[in-house]
Amino acid sequence: MKLKPFPGLLRPLLAMLLPFVAFALQSMFWAAIKPFAWFLFFPAVFFSSWVGGLYSGLGATLIATLLAWWFFIPPEHSFALENPFTLGSIGLFMGMGILFAYSHERIKKANQRTAEALAAARAANDQLQDANARITQLYEKTLELDQLKTQLFANVSHELRTPLALILGPVNKRLAAGDLGAEERRDLEVVDRNARLLYRHVSDLLDVAKIEAGQMQVQYAQTDLAHLTRFVASHFEVLAGEKGIRYTVDAPDTLPAQVDTEKCQRILLNILSNAFKFTPTDGMVALILKTADDSAILQVRDNGPGIPAAMRTAVFERFRQVEGGAERRFGGTGLGLAIVKEFVDLHGGTVEVEEAPGGGALFTVTLSLSAPAGVELQATPSALAGEIDRQVVEELRESHNPAAPQSAAADAPLVLVVEDNPDMNTFITETLGRHYRIITAFDGQEGLSKALAVRPDLILSDVMMPRMSGDQMVAALRRHAKMADVPIVMLTAKADEELRVKLLQDGVQDYINKPFAVEELLARVGGLVAERKRTLDKLLRLNADLERRVEERTAELKAANQELESFAYAVSHDLRAPLRAMHGFSQALVEDYGERLEGDAREFLEQITIASRKMGELIDGLLTLSRSTRGELRHDWVDLAALSERLLAELSAAEPTRQVAWHIEPTLAARGDACMIEVVMRNLLGNAWKYTTHVNEPTVRVFAKQEGRDYFFCVADNGAGFDMTHAARLFQPFQRLHRQDEFPGIGIGLATVQRIIHRHGGLIKGTAAPGQGATFCFSLPREGGAREEKHERQDDSLG
Amino acid sequence: MKDKTILLVEDNPQDEMLILRALRKINLINAVDVARDGQQALDYLFREGEFAERTPAEPTVVLLDIGLPRLSGLEVLEQLRADPRTRLLPVVILTSSDEERDRLKSYENGANSFVRKPLEFSEFAETVARLGIYWLATNEPPQV
């Protein structure tokens, strides 16, 4: 019963009024109702608790009880009781009232709960409706996307395949025509081969994408598996013959099965292609087809390198290759075996690889002979596109395409092309061959050895190559100093920014992205080669320039030397003549008119004579000094012992009165200019002779000694010696350490000696103590002249 | 000594005086003719120019200095040796130069002797005297 929405307070109020209403009514009709005092109060409290709730009900019960007790229970208008049992009815009434109150409360609560539950249920229902709506939306969208994907595959497949077909078609048409020149035919074959290769890669990729999208469907059909196997196997016969591989096919005559023929063909093709790719020449490939229970078992065995145990499951992963790096030996996208696995899985079969007995790989494919239950069979089995079959086999055959003879000039710059793809190699070689001499290599190792051998003007190299990759080759090349200035251009298809930066850091001059236009290749190569040529030319010119300047300088020096020679010559001639005159006429005067000369006259003339003689000595000394620095320095072997002997004998002959003892070491061999060495010994021995004049037992010793790395010749005397504190002046021209009246001399001998020794690249030093003699030692290095500059800076007078 | 003459080719007057003095001392002074430069020497020997009327007595020896004006002593020597009339004429190079190349060149050009004028006068006089004696007395000339 729906109650009108009363405001909160009104209902309890109304509820509490009901007893009064009942009282009022009962009072009016008391005569008829009497003695049923509780008559109308029962409904009153019933309805009051219904209307007002628990507390109203209780309150109403109380009020009703009081009202009824006062007004209607005999005696009326008092709380006294005639009959004590009436208490029971009062109690009963109250009890009933309370009961009503509580009951109504419960009902109310229950109603509330029900109402809440209903509301909640409704809300939930609403949410469910929303969710449903969303799901429906999504579902519709998924359906849409699915359709789009299907559309996409169809489109992409079409978009990619159509141009390829339009390339292959006309090319094949041209090739079929008979009027092709050799070069044109070769070029078209290259186009054909590569277009088909691209077709296969596109197909592989699309298959993989389709499988991933779950779009790949298996179309079962009834077919002869043995026949199919033999058919696919036959494609490889020519290849086996070429590579000298023992190829066996072991299959029953017929083997009926329900499979997707196209996919089975692909499975066989890919596994066989793998086997042939990795089997070396003179190897073996065996194909076996057999049955076991309700399954067909296909086995392909080879004796190639096999697959390492760790890779045996991974090898079926997409893009996984056993040798996947830049220096892998075999090309490929790594999808072949992945497709095999997917196709086998779609058939509900299994594929695995293990080591074949005797080395190599053994692939085993297990397929159920019958299609899964409830699958519809296609009427006609689908066939694989012929191109793919041929392409797979073609890929494995090496194309021997000799490049056209090059027409570059004999002195054209030399370019080394390093590229493993034979077609690309040929293409580049032909493109550049018109302008440059070309040498080719097919992997990094070959490239490296050829580059070091011929020293090309430019190197053009691919990055991904077997054995040694392009970047490894560059690193190895730059380690050789003589290859440091050879420009290198890399052909890179890898979209690798990191690699490019690394290449540039490693010393690559430029890189070209594949695919490239012929003009770009020529332009970049041409630019670098020209620049290198310019640099080399510049270097040659600078060199020539330098040579010329050196020659000029030498000529200048020669001229200066020449002038000096003439000067010295003039000096030697012209200075002596007046001296001779002075000397001569003084002497003549003394001889012819000597008796008539008085007093100091003779003395004066004597002085003139002495002075002119002195002058002569000076001139001689200076001339010797100057001559010691001019002229060629000869390299003779001088016997110092014999020379010393002779010079001492001369000195002795000039002064027979002096008794000087000398000791000369027997073998003293020196290397130098004989004349100049004589001047040295003459001076040193002359000094020794002179400065031992006032000694009792004058001795002169000539000997040799080793000091460190130097070999010294020494002249020692026991004469006057000198004070070492003045040693700095020892070798200065005109500087003397003794007075003229002590020992005569002009002080030029030692200066001359020093000059001569320095010119030979040797050292000279003098040691002495006053009154204890002096020792002069000099060295004459074998090479001569090596230490000249050093001696300009050294002061070697301080022995 | 029958009519042996010395041709002295010397441009330095002091040297000339000293040489003549030395030769006077050994009584060879009358046999000496003097030319004072290379051209004069050649004119004398080939009887050209101012010496066209010279008596045809070839000098027994020529004392030739190297340092002469106009024509050097070595060039004179060359020309003498080139001419058949004077090819064998004894020539003594008497010079103050002690350059090795002068000495070698002299001999290459065909000098018979090379003497350095010593600085010491006494030595000089002695040298000259010895030269005079040797070449006029001891040595036998090609032409008599």
Side-chain angles (χ1 to χ4, degrees):
Chain A
M1 186 165 125
K2 276 209 172 153
L3 292 171
K4 291 197 208 105
F6 272 85
L9 212 49
L10 210 56
R11 290 181 62 174
L13 218 59
L14 186 65
M16 306 277 260
L17 267 167
L18 281 173
F20 292 102
V21 171
F23 164 72
L25 282 171
Q26 193 153 302
S27 291
M28 280 188 336
F29 298 106
W30 184 236
I33 300 169
K34 181 170 187 184
F36 299 103
W38 305 103
F39 189 56
L40 286 180
F41 286 105
F42 269 106
V45 298
F46 182 82
F47 283 110
S48 72
S49 64
W50 186 340
V51 167
L54 178 68
Y55 295 105
S56 314
L58 292 172
T61 307
L62 191 64
I63 294 172
T65 309
L66 287 173
L67 282 176
W69 194 347
W70 180 270
F71 285 102
F72 296 110
I73 301 272
E76 293 170 19
H77 304 289
S78 84
F79 280 119
L81 289 168
E82 283 180 354
N83 192 346
F85 290 117
T86 327
L87 222 61
S89 71
I90 294 171
L92 191 67
F93 178 76
M94 283 186 81
M96 289 304 290
I98 294 167
L99 210 62
F100 286 145
Y102 273 107
S103 296
H104 275 121
E105 190 61 27
R106 280 182 69 174
I107 291 171
K108 196 156 144 193
K109 283 220 164 74
N111 270 350
Q112 250 179 355
R113 276 203 295 275
T114 312
E116 279 171 14
L118 196 63
R122 274 218 190 84
N125 200 32
D126 285 338
Q127 272 182 348
L128 211 65
Q129 296 278 45
D130 283 341
N132 238 18
R134 270 204 303 272
I135 287 174
T136 315
Q137 252 182 355
L138 280 170
Y139 182 65
E140 277 161 9
K141 209 172 210 146
T142 309
L143 283 178
E144 207 183 312
L145 277 172
D146 214 35
Q147 274 170 347
L148 277 174
K149 253 199 223 173
T150 320
Q151 198 73 0
L152 178 73
F153 279 121
N155 285 349
V156 167
S157 168
H158 176 81
E159 293 304 325
L160 289 176
R161 286 204 172 109
T162 307
L164 281 169
L166 285 171
I167 294 173
L168 283 167
V171 165
N172 281 314
K173 198 168 90 173
R174 281 299 291 142
L175 280 172
D179 61 340
L180 286 173
E183 197 177 327
E184 199 186 336
R185 174 167 290 277
R186 251 205 343 274
D187 284 344
L188 283 173
E189 277 172 3
V190 168
V191 173
D192 177 56
R193 196 165 42 241
N194 284 284
R196 280 192 271 127
L197 181 62
L198 195 60
Y199 193 94
R200 182 152 109 83
H201 286 321
V202 163
S203 300
D204 277 355
L205 277 168
L206 279 175
D207 282 342
V208 162
K210 226 177 171 183
I211 290 169
E212 178 156 6
Q215 293 274 330
M216 189 63 85
Q217 284 156 350
V218 187
Q219 292 175 321
Y220 287 94
Q222 186 70 42
T223 183
D224 184 352
L225 201 55
H227 174 77
L228 188 134
T229 306
R230 269 196 292 272
F231 175 68
V232 174
S234 68
H235 291 318
F236 291 87
E237 269 161 26
V238 180
L239 181 65
E242 277 180 6
K243 281 184 90 172
I245 293 175
R246 272 179 300 122
Y247 183 33
T248 50
V249 179
D250 177 13
D253 289 334
T254 60
L255 180 55
Q258 292 166 344
V259 291
D260 184 326
T261 40
E262 191 176 334
K263 293 188 177 51
C264 279
Q265 258 180 296
R266 277 292 276 296
I267 291 168
L268 272 164
L269 209 61
N270 285 4
I271 294 187
L272 278 171
S273 137
N274 233 39
F276 275 95
K277 194 194 273 191
F278 286 95
T279 305
T281 353
D282 300 330
M284 170 275 281
V285 173
L287 171 60
I288 302 161
L289 177 63
K290 53 190 183 189
T291 55
D293 302 327
D294 194 28
S295 307
I297 298 178
L298 202 73
Q299 284 187 323
V300 175
R301 187 173 138 200
D302 67 66
N303 66 348
I307 301 198
M311 300 275 296
R312 287 206 186 123
T313 32
V315 82
F316 294 104
E317 281 173 32
R318 243 168 258 161
F319 309 119
R320 173 77 66 173
Q321 293 176 302
V322 174
E323 292 173 12
E327 66 278 13
R328 66 215 169 117
R329 278 178 287 161
F330 307 100
T333 48
L335 289 175
L337 286 179
I339 287 179
V340 162
K341 182 162 196 321
E342 298 285 3
F343 283 0
V344 166
D345 281 349
L346 283 170
H347 276 89
T350 58
V351 61
E352 56 190 20
V353 63
E354 55 198 320
E355 183 161 351
L362 171 63
F363 282 85
T364 309
V365 176
T366 313
L367 292 172
S368 170
L369 283 173
S370 34
V375 170
E376 213 179 286
L377 294 178
Q378 301 284 317
T380 43
S382 51
L384 202 55
E387 284 104 47
I388 295 190
D389 274 16
R390 276 207 326 264
Q391 178 51 41
V392 168
V393 177
E394 278 293 319
E395 249 178 77
L396 295 168
R397 303 169 74 180
E398 281 161 17
S399 51
H400 300 284
N401 250 345
Q406 292 143 37
S407 51
D411 63 342
L414 182 64
V415 175
L416 171 65
V417 176
V418 188
E419 166 66 64
D420 65 316
N421 182 316
D423 285 340
M424 179 66 83
N425 197 314
T426 309
F427 172 65
I428 296 175
T429 304
E430 282 181 354
T431 308
L432 295 175
R434 272 170 242 128
H435 308 280
Y436 311 99
R437 286 176 293 145
I438 309 285
I439 290 190
T440 57
F442 288 89
D443 61 59
Q445 191 70 49
E446 197 186 344
L448 177 64
S449 47
K450 281 196 176 169
L452 289 172
V454 303
R455 234 184 135 232
D457 291 309
L458 181 128
I459 300 175
L460 192 61
S461 172
D462 189 17
V463 175
M464 293 188 70
M465 288 186 292
R467 275 211 291 162
M468 184 191 271
S469 68
D471 50 307
Q472 287 174 337
M473 183 186 80
V474 168
L477 273 173
R478 291 299 188 216
R479 278 199 280 272
H480 291 260
K482 65 171 181 165
M483 301 303 297
D485 64 334
V486 176
I488 302 180
V489 179
M490 302 300 281
L491 298 167
T492 154
K494 277 179 108 172
D496 197 336
E497 200 59 46
E498 237 180 77
L499 176 68
R500 281 207 214 107
V501 168
K502 182 176 180 298
L503 284 174
L504 287 171
Q505 281 175 341
D506 282 345
V508 162
Q509 267 57 46
D510 202 356
Y511 52 80
I512 303 180
N513 280 323
K514 289 195 248 189
F516 50 83
V518 169
E519 294 84 30
E520 190 185 350
L521 180 68
L522 283 171
R524 285 193 200 240
V525 168
L528 282 166
V529 167
E531 193 185 314
R532 180 177 150 82
K533 190 165 187 321
R534 269 201 305 274
T535 315
L536 282 174
D537 281 345
K538 202 173 190 177
L539 211 71
L540 281 170
R541 257 181 310 160
L542 278 171
N543 256 4
D545 205 27
L546 208 70
E547 288 270 359
R548 193 175 42 81
R549 282 210 241 134
V550 166
E551 265 179 45
E552 277 175 20
R553 203 58 59 82
T554 315
E556 277 173 28
L557 279 169
K558 274 203 184 139
N561 226 27
Q562 203 69 14
E563 276 185 41
L564 215 63
E565 287 258 3
S566 328
F567 176 72
Y569 178 75
V571 161
S572 98
H573 197 262
D574 294 340
L575 280 181
R576 288 220 184 89
L579 273 180
R580 201 167 33 250
M582 273 177 11
H583 195 265
F585 284 109
S586 312
Q587 234 14 59
L589 199 62
V590 167
E591 275 182 24
D592 294 355
Y593 300 100
E595 324 80 63
R596 292 194 228 160
L597 289 170
E598 295 166 1
D600 298 333
R602 281 183 90 106
E603 180 67 36
F604 292 160
L605 283 170
E606 198 62 42
Q607 286 303 320
I608 293 172
T609 311
I610 292 170
S612 51
R613 193 183 303 132
K614 188 78 183 289
M615 181 86 178
E617 279 175 38
L618 250 152
I619 292 172
D620 279 345
L622 277 172
L623 274 173
T624 314
L625 181 63
S626 93
R627 204 178 287 139
S628 68
T629 49
R630 284 189 290 118
E632 300 281 327
L633 204 65
R634 297 214 311 258
H635 297 284
D636 315 306
W637 277 109
V638 182
D639 183 353
L640 276 177
L643 174 64
S644 307
E645 195 70 57
R646 176 166 62 84
L647 290 172
L648 284 164
E650 269 181 36
L651 285 164
S652 185
E655 279 185 88
T657 50
R658 286 200 62 201
Q659 298 289 335
V660 180
W662 62 77
H663 306 282
I664 303 172
E665 223 175 74
T667 41
L668 296 167
R671 191 155 169 77
D673 186 300
C675 297
M676 297 211 187
I677 302 291
E678 180 162 333
V679 170
V680 166
M681 292 310 286
R682 193 182 288 277
N683 268 291
L684 292 178
L685 289 168
N687 272 1
W689 190 270
K690 180 164 61 177
Y691 287 99
T692 51
T693 309
H694 306 302
V695 171
N696 277 335
E697 290 181 12
T699 325
V700 175
R701 281 189 310 124
V702 182
F703 58 96
K705 64 172 180 175
Q706 183 92 27
E707 249 182 46
R709 283 197 338 204
D710 299 311
Y711 192 70
F712 285 93
F713 300 100
C714 302
V715 174
D717 66 73
N718 61 349
F722 54 86
D723 191 343
M724 283 300 284
T725 51
H726 303 300
R729 313 169 85 199
L730 210 52
F731 294 99
Q732 304 268 12
F734 306 119
Q735 298 283 342
R736 299 196 69 233
L737 301 184
H738 297 275
R739 299 199 313 266
Q740 285 291 343
D741 54 358
E742 289 172 344
F743 299 98
I746 47 171
I748 208 161
L750 284 179
T752 308
V753 165
Q754 190 199 47
R755 281 263 183 104
I756 292 174
I757 296 297
H758 281 183
R759 266 201 89 195
H760 283 75
L763 280 170
I764 179 157
K765 49 188 182 170
T767 41
Q772 288 172 22
T775 307
F776 283 86
C777 295
F778 63 92
S779 68
L780 292 167
R782 296 286 153 107
E783 307 82 43
R787 301 196 334 205
E788 251 190 272
E789 288 102 51
K790 205 163 100 179
H791 278 77
E792 299 308 318
R793 282 171 266 145
Q794 258 184 31
D795 178 6
D796 56 357
S797 58
L798 303 164
Chain B
M1 256 177 281
K2 80 170 184 97
D3 256 3
K4 291 198 175 172
T5 49
I6 298 172
L7 173 64
L8 171 64
V9 186
E10 175 63 64
D11 70 315
N12 187 315
Q14 285 91 23
D15 280 350
E16 185 193 321
M17 278 177 76
L18 291 169
I19 291 170
L20 290 177
R21 185 174 178 283
L23 289 173
R24 196 182 300 123
K25 282 235 161 140
I26 53 172
N27 289 320
L28 288 178
I29 191 61
N30 295 325
V32 183
D33 279 333
V34 182
R36 291 188 182 84
D37 66 55
Q39 193 56 51
Q40 215 177 45
L42 287 175
D43 288 344
Y44 177 96
L45 290 167
F46 297 133
R47 290 205 199 83
E48 281 162 18
E50 53 181 311
F51 295 102
E53 308 302 316
R54 183 170 70 82
T55 45
E58 305 310 324
T60 319
V61 68
V62 177
L63 297 176
L64 182 57
D65 187 16
I66 292 185
L68 301 170
R70 277 193 269 160
L71 226 56
S72 84
L74 293 173
E75 284 167 316
V76 168
L77 184 54
E78 249 186 271
Q79 290 201 29
L80 289 179
R81 290 300 178 242
D83 194 299
R85 294 174 284 178
T86 52
R87 193 166 56 87
L88 301 174
L89 182 62
V91 172
V92 174
I93 301 289
L94 188 63
T95 178
S96 52
S97 159
D98 64 347
E99 292 283 318
E100 188 180 324
R101 62 180 170 158
D102 282 338
R103 191 173 78 239
L104 289 174
K105 198 85 174 51
S106 305
Y107 277 108
E108 275 169 27
N109 285 9
N112 298 78
S113 169
F114 184 92
V115 177
R116 278 189 55 211
K117 292 179 198 165
L119 207 55
E120 278 275 352
F121 177 70
S122 50
E123 213 183 311
F124 186 40
E126 211 178 303
T127 307
V128 169
R130 278 205 223 116
L131 276 175
I133 293 167
Y134 175 78
W135 285 98
L136 291 186
T138 319
N139 187 51
E140 302 205 20
Q143 298 124 291
V144 184

